[in-house]
Every structure is written in structure tokens, then in C-alpha cells.
Amino acid sequence: MLLQLSAAFDLHRDVVPWLVERLAAEAAAPVAGLRAGLDPVENNYEALRVVNIERNGKVIYSCKDNKKNVFFGLYDLHTKKNEHLYTFEKDLQVASCSINHEKTLLAVSFLQSDKERRNELQPVSKCLTLLIEIHPVNNVKVLKAVDSCIWVQFLYPNDERKPFPESHLLLISEERYIEQFHIQVIREDENRVVIKNLDHLPRDRVVEDFLWAQWDMSEQRLYYIILKKSESILKCIQFYADENFNLIFEVPLDISLCATELMLVNFGFEDSQNQGGLSKDLNLHVFTSHTGSLCVCYHKKLAAQEQVTYSVFYLHKGYSKTFTVDLGTLEYLLSMKDITFLNLDYYVAVYLPGHFFHLLNTQHPDLMCHSLFLPGKNEQMNLIPDGPLQSLSGSLAWDWCSEKLFRVNFSQSSLLHFLWSSSLDYERLAVLHCVLACGRNPRVLEAQIIRWIFENIWSCHTFDPIQEFLIASSYWNFCLDINNLDQLFPYSSVHSWNREIPGVTSVTKEILLPLMKVQNSKGYWEKLNANLEYVKYAKPPLLYSNNMVKREWRNLISEEKRGKRRSTAYFKNIHENAIKVISNLETWTVEPRLVPLFQEEDNQQRLLIGLMVSELKDHLLRNLPVQFIGKKKIEQLVLDYVSKMLDLLCQMLETSWRKHNLHSWVFHFDGSGSAGEYAVFHTMTQILDSVNRMCLPLPPGFHTLHLALGIHCLPLHSLLHYIDDGVLLLTETGVMKLLKDLDNTEKNEKLKFSIVARLPPSIMQKISHIWDHPINSHIISRNYVKQLLQKSKRKFQSPAIDKSSFLVEFLPLNFLIEVLAEIETPHQALNPFEECDSVDAKFVEEAALKQTTMLLNL
């Protein structure tokens, strides 16, 4: 299963043994509180149930003994210990319960029945809400005695280390209002905490006339919806420890809410039989993540039909998506199970047990290929509980049926298994991102993905797995910690998707952005506001592209070929950027690398590395608030980002090296290639193609190593074809080693001549003295004459010779030498081979005579 559900709390596992042990102890020595006769084993736990889960991981539960006394206990998820809170020695039906952070006050709401009347004339309120001092057990105050149901919830301070002079309690009424009580406490002695001014507790009216409310226990937020001119308005209130509360935002939602409906989410775990007028047909949840995303998931049960429709409002993006799922079976018409929405940080899981499982990417929901859509019969759904789960804050989810509290995480092994087993591109693409976003131990994870890429590189038709891995891995590593950074870096190599996903259709609609009511907020609200500002003003999107780097890189290479040079300061800055990246990358290397890289200057790749660093840095400095982030932090981020891409490429080469047992490979040009070298050569060719199409830098030394493997593995005609098409690049280091390593056999001479004849002048002038051979002298002479004549402005009169009768390039020799000698004056001669001082007209004459002699077999 893609989701891993581990039981953090099981009522029967974690509570029942403790209750039984407590019973045995009290049977031997009865004490006040829980009396003998409470046997949860014999009564099948019918009266044992969870009533609330507090912010600090404490679970409140209640049960009844055979005398109908109500017992309240507390289980701590962190210490895994139980403790007794309070016991009512009468039969009461618990509606809601909450305890303050210091465990000194207990708020309880009971539903009363008509049987509790002492006489027929005495009125009995439907709901009784009590505030009880429990440290130690002392006073009881009635907060409400009304005919509508009341739910209670203590607020928890964000900083739990602060002292507790005051507690704050929310009362949520079925009559659609929410009040906040301010309860001051005093410590009378070392162990006695009591309520100050018990007879008069200050209170505020927080919300009125709401239809739906959700409590976020982790972040202390209250989301609620009101009707305004028949329009549903979502609002949010943030509660603070050092101040009262603030209305943070409001936004209209295109959802249909009936004025007679009422729904509460995460206000305890009341029995569904006692929900009274609460709506059972409305399924609405608000989910957030630490990156500043804000999603509203909405589903309304309709009459039985063969399709299910649900909507997700991506409020941080400014649009909503409505998904329609073909169920493909009539079982749903009979079961009418409810859809479950689970918050998984970067994702929202939406599923209907036995029918479908969807994993929606909330960071980048625009393309469906980045979300996962599984049909009901997929094996990945086998372990999902049949009953609905209630998503709580963090990674917790409550199972109503089993009364278990689960920690929900992604199963890394299942995600990787699914990546290997799926044959559909959109599933592979979605799972690849999910693995990178949610996986643990990234180094091991990246190695497993690389192995998958090498096995499936030819079977992906709609995306390049190498490109997607490089872009996505770099994104998930660096782009989520700083506001708007994920909006500036590329997320995927796939920019559009128009293919159908079987069984699922989606309609996208623009919506209004939330109106922020508070300025200069921090934490989550600052990130949400930054996302909203980006959506408002970033038209078109400000995603980084390597197009500028590509143009500049090609211009610099072209200028270098023409002998032009930019300013020294410009090249110095680019060179320093490249040095910083390579130095930064070396600090990440834990084990020695097997692949012989980084052993040469490789000016072109260093130039590309430095250019990418420079362009990325300028891109971020233009679009990020440098005064808040800092220029040094941005510079380090860019270095890490480019270093990460190079590191991933090195990992790919290392994986291929080990897979084909090239552990002890020695860099040389002699001999023929093995099967392993042939496989690695084609892997490097595929990497080169993927990287070149995005103009990403390669590790220095890549082209030299690629050339060496090509010479080993390819016949000469194929090798020259690869060189002429630009697949294999002739590097100075590679050619020099080739000329030194190979002797002058006929086969090697042919190879050397073919290589030297294709050298660019910038390399030719540096290595021409390495190979002392007439053929090399001929090539040097020809290139020298060509460049010398091109640079001379003198116009020569062509001799009256029938050129068609001469096939040898250097005849008539006398006239050529005379022309060269005339050009070679101290003022006119511009020797392109500055390191070869012996190249002159005399050298050309000797080389031409030798060449002529060889051609005529004299």
C-alpha cells in the first residue's frame, strides 16, 4: 500500500490492560474514584470510547462501570502512560470533553435525558456543560445548561514552556455560535490549583451564525463558513498565546450549503448517534502545509449514481479543480460509503475504499500527470481501512470503526515498487515526484531511482526520465524552505499534458484569492501571503529557464573560435563560480569516485557551470527580497543547486560503472571495448543527449571519458560519424592522450589522422607538436597556409595554369612558397600556431614535398 498506517493509539490495546490492572488493585484496596464492578472485558468495551485528542498528543477517553458511573482517563502518546482524570458517580451521556494544557481543568458536556427529572414539573436541560477543577478534585461550575448540544475545546499555547496564569476555553453551540471563556487560575499551595473568580468568568463571542467549522488542534486555528447573500464565505481565526485572536482571511467558495445544515470537524469524536442536527451528507475539510498551501476539499453526497464528483479549491493558486470519477461498478450504489480526505503535507489523498485512490499534488496541481489516480482494484489499495478516516493535524488520522489513531506516512518501499511495476507514463511521473518529496534517506533513494532510470529509459514516451530526475530531485532538495523559491525554480521537465487519464476527468476554474486581513504575519501566514502575492503579480510565471545560459554559452564559444575575447573580469567571475561549485561538490563526496572525472580543466563545461551559477544568482536576486534572505544565503543556495545536479550526474555514472563491473578501469585508448564499456558508452550518450537538450552542465572530464569509450567501442566510420555530428567532443586532454598512447601502426595512423584532421584550431595549435609524423606536418601546413592567406588583405593574381590537370593540393609549389614568403614579413605575419615556432614557409615547403612524395609513391 502506498500509505503506511501505523497505530499510534489503540483503545483496546493501550487502555484496557491498564483498566484491568487498576481494577485488580482497587478490588484489593477500594479507593474513591473508579469502583469495583467496572469490567471493560466483560462488557465488550461498549461504554469505552475516545472523546477527544488534544494538541500535545493526549487522548481523552471515557467508560462506564456496571453502576453506570462515568470514568475519564488520559493516555499520553509520548510517554505511553494512562492516568485517571475524574469520575462522575452517575449515569451521563458524554457529548464532548477537553482538558487544559496543565491538566488542572476539565471541561465536560453531557446530554441529559427526560428520565433524570425528579418530577414531571421540573425542567431538564438537554445539555449540561461543566468546568471542573481536577488538580486536585475540587469545585464544579456549570457553564451552560441549554436545550442545544454544546462542544468544548481548550486552547493550547504555542509555547508550552510559559506559565499558566490563564486558560481559554471554546464553547461551540448547536445554535451556531462560538464563545471563548477566559479562566484565571491561582496556585494556593504547592499542589492546589483553583479557579479565580469562579462566579464570574469573562467571555467573548467569537463567531455567530456559522454553518460549518473545523478546528486545527496543532496550529490553534478555527475555520468556519457563514452565508452572506446566499454565498458561502470561508473565514479563519488564529488564536495566540499572548493575545486574544485575529481574523486572518476570508474568501468566497462556490459550494452549496443548506441554511439548515450544521457540520463540525475535529471537535472531539462524538458518537454519530448523538450528532443531532449535524449534517451527515456534507464532507468538507481545510488542509494546509508548512509551505503555505491552503486547500479546501469538498464532496456532497447525492442520490445514487455511477459517478462520484469532488472538488479541491487550491486557494493558494487561485483556481479549483473538480474531479469526476467513473466507479465502473454498481456496488457503490448500495454501500454509499463516504469519501476520505487525508492531509499529507505536499499531497492530499482522496479515496473511496474499493473504488479509487487519488494522490493530489498540492504544490503543483496544474498538470494531472503530477498527481496519481488509481482505480479501485489496484493492489496499492488493499490495506486501506474500509471505514472513513478523519484527518487530524500533522500526520494523524482517526478511524471511527476501529477506534484507532493512526500515523499516516508514505511507504517508501511501496512507492518504489509501484515505480518499477507501472507501465503508464503519467503514473511513473507522479510516483517519481512523490518518492522524491516524501522519501527518507535521499542518498539511498536516489541510487534506487537511478537504477530504475537505466532499466526504463527507453520505455518512457512522454517524458525524459533523466531530465525529470535532475530537475525534480534538485527542486525537492532546495526549493521549499524559502518563500516563493518553489515558484522560481523549475519543478518538472514536462510543461504541458493533454493526454487522458482513464476513468477520471477534471475541470479547472479560476477562483478568487483569499483576502488577507492581517499584515506582517509570521510563519505559515507569511508563506501563504507570499504565495498569494506571487499569483497576483507574477504574470507570466517567473520560472528559471536555461535559455539565456544556452545563448550566452554558444556566443562565448563562437567568439573564442573567432579569436575574440570578453573582458578579463567577466571570465574571471565565471571561472570563480565554476571553482566554487566543484569545490562545494567535493565536500559532499563521502566515498572515492570510481569514474575518472574532474581530472582536467575542460574549459567548455567550466564555462557552462559558471554561467549557470551567474544567471541563477541574478534570477533570484531580481525576484527574491534580498534584504530578508541575505545575498550570501542566495549565493550558497545557487552553488548547492548546481552542485546537486552535477552530483546526480556523477551518481548516475558511478551506478553504471558498478553495474557493468568497471571498478578497476584504467583511462586509456589502447585495445578494444568490452561489453561493459559498450553499455556504459551508450548510457553516457543518453545522458549527454538529455543534458544537452536542457543545456545543463556536465562534470568536467565527461567528454574526454566519453571519447575514450567511443574509441574503444566503435568502428572508425561510426566513431567519425559521432564526432562529426557533435555527439563525441574532441577535447585537448583526450586527443593528447590518444596521440601519446597509440603507436604508429597503420590502423592507429588512420585513426590519428582522422582525429587530427577534425581538430579545431584552438586545440590544434596546442597539440601539433605531440605527433611527429608526415601526415601531422601536412595537416599543420595546410591549416597554416589557409589561415595565413585568410588573414592577408593582399589580392594575388592567379597564375595561368590549368587547375583541372593538378589533383595535388600544394602544386604549383614554387608560386605558393613565393606568396607565403612575401606575406611573412615582420609586420604582416600572424602565426596561428604560436607555440610551434618552426612553422613557416620553409616548413610548408618541406611538408608539401614529403606529402607529394608519399602520394606519388616515390
Side-chain angles (χ1 to χ4, degrees):
M1 184 177 70
L2 297 182
L3 298 185
Q4 180 178 330
L5 279 68
S6 55
F9 171 77
D10 184 338
L11 191 61
H12 301 157
R13 179 196 68 189
D14 298 320
V15 174
V16 169
W18 177 77
L19 287 175
V20 173
E21 182 180 347
R22 182 180 176 90
L23 275 173
E26 290 183 349
V31 295
L34 185 65
R35 299 298 180 184
L38 171 64
D39 190 346
V41 179
E42 292 182 1
N43 68 18
N44 295 320
Y45 327 116
E46 291 179 359
L48 180 62
R49 64 187 185 91
V50 171
V51 290
N52 202 0
I53 298 176
E54 301 290 5
R55 180 182 185 223
N56 53 6
K58 291 180 171 57
V59 182
I60 305 175
Y61 54 87
S62 68
C63 59
K64 296 181 181 180
D65 61 14
N66 55 9
K67 296 181 180 179
K68 303 300 182 180
N69 297 325
V70 180
F71 169 89
F72 287 94
L74 186 72
Y75 179 83
D76 192 323
L77 293 178
H78 304 296
T79 63
K80 300 187 183 304
K81 293 182 179 179
N82 289 276
E83 61 179 296
H84 171 233
L85 295 178
Y86 193 77
T87 299
F88 283 93
E89 295 184 348
K90 60 184 300 186
D91 184 10
L92 294 170
Q93 188 175 351
V94 181
S96 180
C97 180
S98 184
I99 189 172
N100 68 342
H101 171 251
E102 295 79 20
K103 294 188 292 186
T104 58
L105 301 176
L106 183 70
V108 184
S109 179
F110 294 104
L111 295 178
Q112 302 185 103
S113 64
D114 293 340
K115 297 179 181 179
E116 298 179 26
R117 296 180 180 176
R118 296 180 182 177
N119 58 67
E120 294 182 358
L121 299 178
Q122 180 184 4
V124 175
S125 301
K126 175 185 175 182
C127 186
L128 182 67
T129 305
L130 305 178
L131 180 63
I132 308 164
E133 297 173 351
I134 60 171
H135 189 67
V137 174
N138 196 24
N139 295 318
V140 176
K141 177 178 176 57
V142 178
L143 294 180
K144 290 281 184 179
V146 292
D147 287 334
S148 58
C149 190
I150 298 291
W151 292 265
V152 291
Q153 178 62 58
F154 272 104
L155 301 181
Y156 275 61
N158 291 323
D159 187 354
E160 298 181 353
R161 297 169 297 178
K162 290 185 177 180
F164 54 99
E166 190 172 60
S167 292
H168 305 277
L169 176 68
L170 294 181
L171 264 67
I172 303 92
S173 171
E174 189 179 5
E175 295 182 350
R176 301 182 184 180
Y177 65 84
I178 299 176
E179 292 181 323
Q180 179 180 200
F181 283 80
H182 305 281
I183 308 161
Q184 288 190 341
V185 296
I186 56 175
R187 187 185 295 272
E188 293 186 340
D189 53 46
E190 187 65 24
N191 297 313
R192 184 179 179 86
V193 177
V194 297
I195 300 174
K196 182 180 180 181
N197 297 329
L198 184 62
D199 295 332
H200 177 71
L201 298 178
R203 59 181 172 176
D204 302 318
R205 185 65 64 99
V206 178
V207 178
E208 291 184 305
D209 298 327
F210 71 95
L211 298 178
W212 171 93
Q214 174 181 316
W215 177 244
D216 184 338
M217 66 174 182
S218 177
E219 302 300 332
Q220 302 290 280
R221 300 170 190 153
L222 174 67
Y223 301 96
Y224 63 96
I225 293 177
I226 63 171
L227 281 182
K228 186 176 182 180
K229 296 180 181 179
S230 301
E231 188 176 40
S232 299
I233 307 295
L234 173 67
K235 299 186 177 185
C236 177
I237 288 177
Q238 175 75 68
F239 293 91
Y240 303 97
D242 54 350
E243 57 184 282
N244 199 355
F245 57 86
N246 280 326
L247 177 64
I248 300 296
F249 74 81
E250 64 179 41
V251 60
L253 294 179
D254 184 18
I255 59 176
S256 176
L257 291 182
C258 179
T260 60
E261 294 178 338
L262 177 65
M263 182 177 182
L264 299 178
V265 180
N266 293 352
F267 284 101
F269 303 99
E270 66 281 343
D271 191 337
S272 59
Q273 295 178 352
N274 301 323
Q275 291 186 16
L278 295 184
S279 171
K280 302 178 181 63
D281 297 327
L282 182 65
N283 192 351
L284 182 66
H285 296 269
V286 176
F287 294 141
T288 62
S289 81
H290 71 280
T291 59
S293 68
L294 176 61
C295 299
V296 178
C297 302
Y298 168 69
H299 168 247
K300 190 173 181 64
K301 285 186 180 179
L302 301 174
Q305 53 186 6
E306 296 181 9
Q307 291 181 330
V308 169
T309 298
Y310 67 88
S311 299
V312 180
F313 297 83
Y314 302 99
L315 298 179
H316 59 295
K317 295 290 185 178
Y319 57 82
S320 67
K321 284 182 175 288
T322 299
F323 299 93
T324 301
V325 187
D326 294 326
L327 298 179
T329 176
L330 295 179
E331 294 178 6
Y332 175 70
L333 304 181
L334 301 176
S335 63
M336 290 297 288
K337 297 178 181 177
D338 200 5
I339 288 179
T340 291
F341 296 106
L342 291 180
N343 186 17
L344 302 173
D345 204 8
Y346 306 124
Y347 290 85
V348 168
V350 187
Y351 68 86
L352 185 63
H355 297 280
F356 68 84
F357 177 87
H358 296 172
L359 202 58
L360 306 180
N361 189 327
T362 59
Q363 283 296 119
H364 294 273
D366 49 333
L367 301 183
M368 291 183 69
C369 59
H370 293 141
S371 298
L372 183 63
F373 301 91
L374 298 179
K377 295 183 180 179
N378 194 287
E379 64 177 0
Q380 300 296 339
M381 294 180 59
N382 291 342
L383 299 180
I384 293 178
D386 288 335
L389 293 179
Q390 181 175 341
S391 185
L392 306 178
S393 299
S395 60
L396 296 176
W398 175 255
D399 184 0
W400 292 88
C401 299
S402 66
E403 291 198 309
K404 294 180 181 179
L405 184 67
F406 290 106
R407 293 193 187 278
V408 185
N409 294 296
F410 285 99
S411 172
Q412 185 170 302
S413 59
S414 296
L415 287 170
L416 287 170
H417 174 73
F418 188 32
L419 184 65
W420 278 90
S421 61
S422 178
S423 59
L424 301 174
D425 277 6
Y426 68 86
E427 289 184 350
R428 291 169 165 179
L429 195 58
V431 173
L432 176 62
H433 278 272
C434 190
V435 170
L436 292 171
C438 310
R440 300 167 297 279
N441 197 345
R443 201 72 179 180
V444 174
L445 190 62
E446 288 165 354
Q448 294 171 323
I449 294 176
I450 289 171
R451 285 196 290 271
W452 171 80
I453 289 174
F454 288 156
E455 293 293 331
N456 295 274
I457 193 168
W458 305 112
S459 63
C460 294
H461 306 293
T462 56
F463 73 100
D464 185 323
I466 294 177
Q467 291 181 351
E468 194 67 17
F469 175 60
L470 293 175
I471 298 297
S473 182
S474 301
Y475 171 89
W476 288 109
N477 269 280
F478 299 109
C479 299
L480 297 174
D481 295 331
I482 300 176
N483 291 348
N484 284 345
L485 197 60
D486 64 322
Q487 314 282 3
L488 302 176
F489 277 94
Y491 163 77
S492 171
S493 63
V494 179
H495 302 298
S496 62
W497 183 271
N498 54 10
R499 297 172 180 263
E500 293 185 359
I501 295 178
V504 181
T505 58
S506 171
V507 177
T508 302
K509 182 180 179 181
E510 287 191 7
I511 59 176
L512 294 177
L513 295 174
L515 177 63
M516 302 298 291
K517 297 289 189 178
V518 175
Q519 303 299 323
N520 302 321
S521 53
K522 299 297 181 182
Y524 167 79
W525 299 118
E526 180 183 14
K527 293 183 177 181
L528 173 62
N529 190 57
N531 287 337
L532 299 178
E533 291 294 310
Y534 179 85
V535 174
K536 287 180 187 177
Y537 302 113
K539 305 291 184 181
L542 301 175
L543 279 178
Y544 169 79
S545 171
N546 249 26
N547 291 334
M548 182 67 72
V549 173
K550 182 188 298 185
R551 288 193 296 269
E552 181 69 2
W553 185 52
R554 289 177 176 175
N555 289 338
L556 289 175
I557 293 175
S558 176
E559 290 173 5
E560 187 175 4
K561 289 180 179 179
R562 298 197 306 268
K564 296 182 179 180
R565 295 283 290 181
R566 300 280 183 93
S567 67
T568 304
Y570 180 80
F571 277 98
K572 182 180 179 182
N573 178 57
I574 292 176
H575 183 66
E576 288 177 351
N577 288 339
I579 292 175
K580 289 177 183 178
V581 169
I582 295 173
S583 176
N584 192 40
L585 180 58
E586 288 174 351
T587 62
W588 295 0
T589 306
V590 180
E591 299 177 356
R593 297 189 189 273
L594 296 176
V595 185
L597 297 172
F598 303 100
Q599 297 180 3
E600 60 178 285
E601 280 296 315
D602 200 346
N603 291 328
Q604 285 198 7
Q605 289 308 310
R606 287 176 179 263
L607 184 65
L608 184 53
I609 292 171
L611 279 173
M612 186 173 180
V613 170
S614 180
E615 184 62 29
L616 257 177
K617 190 189 305 180
D618 291 343
H619 175 70
L620 296 185
L621 291 175
R622 283 193 305 268
N623 298 293
L624 287 178
V626 182
Q627 64 272 24
F628 300 118
I629 300 172
K631 188 175 180 180
K632 287 187 177 180
K633 186 173 182 179
I634 291 178
E635 290 177 350
Q636 186 60 48
L637 174 66
V638 170
L639 291 177
D640 289 342
Y641 184 85
V642 179
S643 299
K644 182 63 180 179
M645 284 196 172
L646 290 177
D647 178 60
L648 293 173
L649 289 168
C650 291
Q651 285 190 59
M652 296 176 80
L653 293 176
E654 290 285 320
T655 301
S656 181
W657 221 255
R658 289 185 171 87
K659 177 182 178 181
H660 299 289
N661 298 316
L662 300 187
H663 294 73
S664 58
W665 194 84
V666 178
F667 191 94
H668 64 97
F669 288 92
D670 196 12
S672 58
S674 64
E677 290 176 330
Y678 189 84
V680 171
F681 171 75
H682 280 282
T683 297
M684 293 184 70
T685 303
Q686 185 61 45
I687 291 174
L688 178 65
D689 177 64
S690 299
V691 169
N692 279 350
R693 283 187 282 116
M694 298 191 74
C695 196
L696 297 176
L698 289 161
F702 181 96
H703 287 293
T704 300
L705 181 59
H706 193 210
L707 176 65
L709 290 173
I711 291 174
H712 277 208
C713 301
L714 298 176
L716 181 59
H717 67 279
S718 297
L719 175 71
L720 300 180
H721 182 69
Y722 272 58
I723 294 173
D724 292 338
D725 285 349
V727 178
L728 288 174
L729 187 66
L730 298 177
T731 64
E732 179 182 342
T733 302
V735 175
M736 288 183 67
K737 192 164 183 61
L738 170 71
L739 297 178
K740 289 180 179 179
D741 285 359
L742 298 184
D743 56 21
N744 288 328
T745 62
E746 182 179 353
K747 178 181 178 181
N748 289 343
E749 280 188 352
K750 191 174 182 180
L751 171 61
K752 289 181 179 181
F753 171 73
S754 301
I755 296 294
V756 171
R758 288 167 168 79
L759 287 177
S762 58
I763 297 180
M764 184 67 186
Q765 63 181 346
K766 295 180 180 179
I767 59 91
S768 58
H769 62 286
I770 299 296
W771 187 26
D772 185 15
H773 192 275
I775 294 179
N776 189 39
S777 299
H778 162 64
I779 296 172
I780 295 172
S781 301
R782 186 174 61 182
N783 289 337
Y784 173 73
V785 171
K786 179 181 179 182
Q787 293 196 23
L788 196 62
L789 292 176
Q790 285 177 343
K791 291 184 178 183
S792 173
K793 298 181 180 179
R794 175 179 174 181
K795 295 181 180 180
F796 300 98
Q797 184 177 359
S798 300
I801 300 175
D802 184 5
K803 295 182 180 179
S804 62
S805 62
F806 297 94
L807 300 179
V808 181
E809 187 175 353
F810 286 96
L811 294 180
L813 186 58
N814 291 338
F815 177 77
L816 175 63
I817 299 304
E818 180 183 344
V819 171
L820 296 180
E822 185 177 347
I823 295 175
E824 284 181 340
T825 64
H827 302 289
Q828 290 180 308
L830 299 173
N831 192 346
F833 300 92
E834 295 174 357
E835 295 182 5
C836 306
D837 296 330
S838 59
V839 181
D840 54 13
K842 185 65 176 175
F843 177 86
V844 173
E845 180 182 13
E846 293 175 356
L849 288 173
K850 289 181 181 179
Q851 180 68 10
T852 303
T853 303
M854 292 175 60
L855 291 174
L856 297 178
N857 293 321
L858 297 177

